[in-house]
């Protein structure tokens, strides 16, 4: 069994295509969520995989065995605390009011002490090893997650002891070409984050060189391209996008624009970003919306009060389909816009970083607010009037999506590497056994 562990919306974006490909080719795969706060039941990608016969579950539900009266009590409190985030779960057999108040009282404590609680209930009792044994795990795949989060550290220890390869798969696309992209982006943190994995998958050579520069051995870093944005998955994803009423914008003859900024901590000029929102709201003939970065927990609240509709609740694929123009700072969603042939305006003046798409000339680089106004007015007259070429876009897609090889089968490469890493480890175990026997 090939095990994939997920925790957030973003990493599922990049892991779901790989699981889909492997299931399609009849490999035994399972997806377990290690974050009990994430709602797997409303995630359309996970539900799609489940419909194909993939095991999709919370890890603590699938392998639930808290020990002792205290352990069972804490487990119930923990489960109910998270259930409070989904009120519909209490419709039938709703507990008495005092219990709900109790759950709410401890909810924040449970969230902040999750790893400590799980250690008391599970860790150190062979729980993670028993899971690997029960599932017949051949490879375990996480996203680019720090081992200290959730129970990753425990699984890395168990997998190493059992000679099961551990892989870190991308949960995003690395696009920055400068070294200091945000306060915590330092070599020592990268090394601590990745050194425990047997292999780290990178989308492109740029990301590999950043990791090598942080002290990670080059032979552990494999460039395979970007599963999320490969044409094979984009076509499949379009078929399974949920048909909801979340996004029903009025029909408009105006130029439809979506602004997707970076995480504020990525050296973004937030004050100037607010002014840009006001500028967009005031422009005649423009229907503009904003979607804050999905991996910045406080970003949504940060934009309360801006004069643009906040479409955080709308899927990025839907927005890319709706928009005529994408405004981007440093988000990888520029990739999808470029692959769909949509004009992509890079608002360089809103942050201090430099990007790969800027250096490749595969977007419309905007250096100030005046240039932004002129660009949008120009696109109102002619949506095809863009200053960058198809060749530069193709070079960017080749680098980011295909890992430098424009003709590569991205999902096929992921599948091949994951399967072969298991085979290689098995061969190593057999050789070691043979040496010991002799």
């Amino acid at each position: 069994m090939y095990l994939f562990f997920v925790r957030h919306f973003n990493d599922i974006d990049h892991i779901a295509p790989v699981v889909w490909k492997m299931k399609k080719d009849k490999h035994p795969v399972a997806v377990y969520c290690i974050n009990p706060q994430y709602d797997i039941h409303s995630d359309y990608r996970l539900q799609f995989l489940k419909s194909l016969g993939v095991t999709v579950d919370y890890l603590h539900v699938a392998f639930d065995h808290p020990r002792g009266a205290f352990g069972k009590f804490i487990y119930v409190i923990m489960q109910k605390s998270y259930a409070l985030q989904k009120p519909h779960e209490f419709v039938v057999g709703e507990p008495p009011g005092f219990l709900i108040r109790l759950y709410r009282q401890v909810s924040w404590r449970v969230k902040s002490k999750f790893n400590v609680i799980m250690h008391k209930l599970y860790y150190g009792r062979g729980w993670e090893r028993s899971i690997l044994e029960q599932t017949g795990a051949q490879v375990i795949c996480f996203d680019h997650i720090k081992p200290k989060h959730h129970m990753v550290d425990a699984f890395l220890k168990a997998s190493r002891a059992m000679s099961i390869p551990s892989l870190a798969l991308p949960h995003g696309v690395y696009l920055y070409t400068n070294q200091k992209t945000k306060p915590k982006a330092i070599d020592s943190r990268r090394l601590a984050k990745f050194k425990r994995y047997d292999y780290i998958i990178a989308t492109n050579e740029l990301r590999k060189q950043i990791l090598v520069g942080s002290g990670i051995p080059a032979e552990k870093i494999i460039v395979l391209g970007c599963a999320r944005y490969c044409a094979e998955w984009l076509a499949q994803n379009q078929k399974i996008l949920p048909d909801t009423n979340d996004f029903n914008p009025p029909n408009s003859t105006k130029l439809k624009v979506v602004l997707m900024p970076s995480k504020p901590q990525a050296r973004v000029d937030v004050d100037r970003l607010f002014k840009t929102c006001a500028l967009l709201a005031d422009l005649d003939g423009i229907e503009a919306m904003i979607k804050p970065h999905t991996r910045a927990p406080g970003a949504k609240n940060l934009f309360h009060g801006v004069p643009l509709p906040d479409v955080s609740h709308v899927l990025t694929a839907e927005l890319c389909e709706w928009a005529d123009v994408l405004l981007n700072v440093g988000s990888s969603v520029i990739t999808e816009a470029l692959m769909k042939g949509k004009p992509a305006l890079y608002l360089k003046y809103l942050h201090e970083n430099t990007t790969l798409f800027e250096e490749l000339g595969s977007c419309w680089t905007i250096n100030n607010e005046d240039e932004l106004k002129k660009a949008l007015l120009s696109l109102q007259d002619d949506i095809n009037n863009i200053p960058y070429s198809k060749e530069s876009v193709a070079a960017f897609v080749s680098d980011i999506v295909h890992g430098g090889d424009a003709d590569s089968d991205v999902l096929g490469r992921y599948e091949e590497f994951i399967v072969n890493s298991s085979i290689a480890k098995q061969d190593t175990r057999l050789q070691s056994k043979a040496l010991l026997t002799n």
Side-chain angles (χ1 to χ4, degrees):
M1 182 74 74
Y2 299 93
L3 303 186
F4 294 83
F5 298 96
V6 298
R7 56 179 174 130
H8 288 313
F9 191 93
N10 299 59
D11 52 275
I12 297 169
D13 263 336
H14 295 265
I15 289 176
V18 181
V19 178
W20 169 65
K21 171 67 173 175
M22 295 187 70
K23 178 62 179 178
K24 195 165 65 166
D25 290 343
K26 304 190 184 314
H27 293 290
V29 288
V31 178
Y32 292 109
C33 183
I34 56 179
N35 175 14
Q37 290 180 266
Y38 187 74
D39 185 2
I40 63 174
H41 304 297
S42 64
D43 188 295
Y44 77 96
R45 299 151 306 175
L46 295 183
Q47 292 310 301
F48 167 64
L49 294 176
K50 195 171 182 178
S51 74
L52 299 178
V54 176
T55 297
V56 177
D57 206 345
Y58 291 103
L59 190 68
H60 306 103
V61 173
F63 303 96
D64 173 18
H65 65 202
R67 302 184 181 189
F70 175 75
K72 290 177 181 176
F73 170 74
I74 291 295
Y75 182 78
V76 169
I77 292 293
M78 182 181 70
Q79 293 295 89
K80 295 298 185 183
S81 296
Y82 288 124
L84 281 172
Q85 297 174 54
K86 311 174 190 71
H88 64 272
E89 294 188 10
F90 279 142
V91 171
V92 178
E94 184 171 327
F98 80 91
L99 272 182
I100 292 182
R101 287 194 296 273
L102 172 63
Y103 298 145
R104 285 182 174 143
Q105 288 268 332
V106 301
S107 179
W108 71 272
R109 297 179 187 275
V110 169
K111 291 174 190 175
S112 63
K113 300 294 184 182
F114 177 74
N115 272 329
V116 174
I117 292 170
M118 294 313 299
H119 181 83
K120 296 292 185 185
L121 295 179
Y122 299 104
Y123 304 168
R125 302 175 186 270
W127 182 63
E128 60 286 335
R129 187 181 183 108
S130 72
I131 291 173
L132 299 181
E133 290 171 346
Q134 288 176 58
T135 57
Q138 295 169 268
V139 177
I140 60 172
C141 300
F142 295 91
D143 71 303
H144 284 186
I145 181 176
K146 296 171 186 170
K148 69 178 183 179
H149 288 169
H150 299 292
M151 68 291 299
V152 177
D153 178 71
F155 272 96
L156 291 179
K157 287 178 181 175
S159 65
R160 177 146 296 187
M162 298 171 69
S163 295
I164 297 171
S166 60
L167 277 62
L169 273 56
H171 60 209
V173 180
Y174 196 84
L175 296 171
Y176 295 123
T177 53
N178 56 304
Q179 289 291 320
K180 186 80 171 179
T181 59
K182 52 188 178 181
K184 294 182 179 180
I186 57 177
D187 290 340
S188 59
R189 290 177 67 91
R190 292 193 194 98
L191 181 60
K193 180 178 182 178
F194 290 110
K195 66 181 180 181
R196 300 276 305 285
Y197 294 99
D198 291 318
Y199 300 105
I200 301 99
I201 309 303
T203 54
N204 60 353
E205 193 64 30
L206 172 63
R207 180 58 166 163
K208 178 174 180 175
Q209 292 310 313
I210 291 289
L211 295 177
V212 170
S214 298
I216 301 162
E219 60 271 17
K220 291 180 64 171
I221 308 167
I222 316 300
V223 176
L224 295 180
C226 179
R228 174 186 176 182
Y229 293 121
C230 72
E232 185 179 2
W233 175 250
L234 286 181
Q236 179 59 41
N237 191 45
Q238 197 63 41
K239 296 176 186 176
I240 64 173
L241 284 173
D243 184 15
T244 67
N245 295 319
D246 284 350
F247 186 55
N248 289 307
N251 290 328
S252 175
T253 57
K254 295 180 178 181
L255 187 73
K256 299 186 288 293
V257 175
V258 176
L259 170 60
M260 295 192 181
S262 303
K263 293 179 282 190
Q265 64 266 36
R267 307 175 77 194
V268 171
D269 186 336
V270 176
D271 289 338
R272 203 167 180 185
L273 176 56
F274 290 160
K275 291 175 183 175
T276 295
C277 291
L279 180 156
L280 292 170
D282 289 340
L283 281 177
D284 291 333
I286 300 291
E287 184 81 33
M289 301 181 181
I290 185 170
K291 182 172 182 179
H293 197 283
T294 53
R295 203 182 277 279
K300 188 177 185 302
N301 294 330
L302 184 68
F303 291 98
H304 279 332
V306 298
L308 294 179
D310 184 335
V311 285
S312 299
H313 61 289
V314 182
L315 294 170
T316 296
E318 287 185 272
L319 292 173
C320 283
E321 195 66 30
W322 172 80
D324 296 317
V325 180
L326 180 79
L327 305 184
N328 187 269
V329 181
S331 169
S332 70
V333 74
I334 194 172
T335 310
E336 187 165 353
L338 290 170
M339 291 184 74
K340 287 180 178 291
K342 303 286 182 83
L345 275 58
Y346 163 51
L347 309 188
K348 178 177 173 60
Y349 68 91
L350 289 181
H351 73 158
E352 298 179 45
N353 295 318
T354 54
T355 65
L356 185 64
F357 47 83
E358 168 190 359
E359 294 191 3
L360 291 175
S362 54
C363 59
W364 192 337
T365 298
I366 305 295
N367 295 295
N368 55 54
E369 292 85 350
D370 189 53
E371 286 187 13
L372 175 59
K373 284 189 208 175
K374 290 177 180 177
L376 291 175
L377 289 172
S378 171
L379 290 169
Q380 282 180 299
D381 293 334
D382 181 2
I383 196 67
N384 297 310
N385 183 21
I386 53 177
Y388 54 94
S389 67
K390 291 181 180 179
E391 290 76 18
S392 64
V393 171
F396 175 74
V397 171
S398 174
D399 189 291
I400 288 297
V401 179
H402 295 276
D405 181 358
D407 299 320
S408 70
D409 173 8
V410 177
L411 295 184
R413 292 173 73 184
Y414 272 83
E415 176 185 38
E416 182 180 18
F417 183 81
I418 291 170
V419 172
N420 285 346
S421 67
S422 173
I423 294 171
K425 186 66 79 171
Q426 289 174 11
D427 290 344
T428 301
R429 285 197 297 264
L430 289 173
Q431 290 171 8
S432 298
K433 188 175 180 180
L435 287 173
L436 289 173
T437 304
N438 294 334

